[in-house]
Amino acid sequence: MDLNKIIKFKIGKENWEMPLGVLLLLGGITLIMILGGLYVGFKFGEQMQP
């Protein structure tokens, strides 16, 4: 897999170009933060129950 391949996409009116490796890195960071938030929220919810 060529991680330096430029991926072009459009968000709204803006055209974006990003290497595949950077796009995968951003996606991975996003998933880790979502899973971390789910875990912390679940633990917080467990403590709030009487």
Side-chain angles (χ1 to χ4, degrees), residues 19-36:
L20 179 59
V22 172
L23 203 56
L24 290 174
L25 180 65
L26 289 174
I29 291 171
T30 302
L31 286 176
I32 289 171
M33 291 186 75
I34 288 171
L35 292 174

Side-chain angles (χ1 to χ4, degrees), residues 3-17:
L3 294 178
N4 289 328
K5 180 180 179 185
I6 300 297
I7 304 295
K8 297 179 182 181
F9 55 95
K10 189 173 187 178
I11 299 177
K13 295 179 181 178
E14 294 291 324
N15 292 325
W16 291 78
E17 294 181 6

Side-chain angles (χ1 to χ4, degrees), residues 38-49:
L38 284 170
Y39 177 76
V40 170
F42 181 76
K43 288 295 184 184
F44 180 75
E46 278 185 333
Q47 290 179 355
M48 295 302 291
Q49 292 179 359

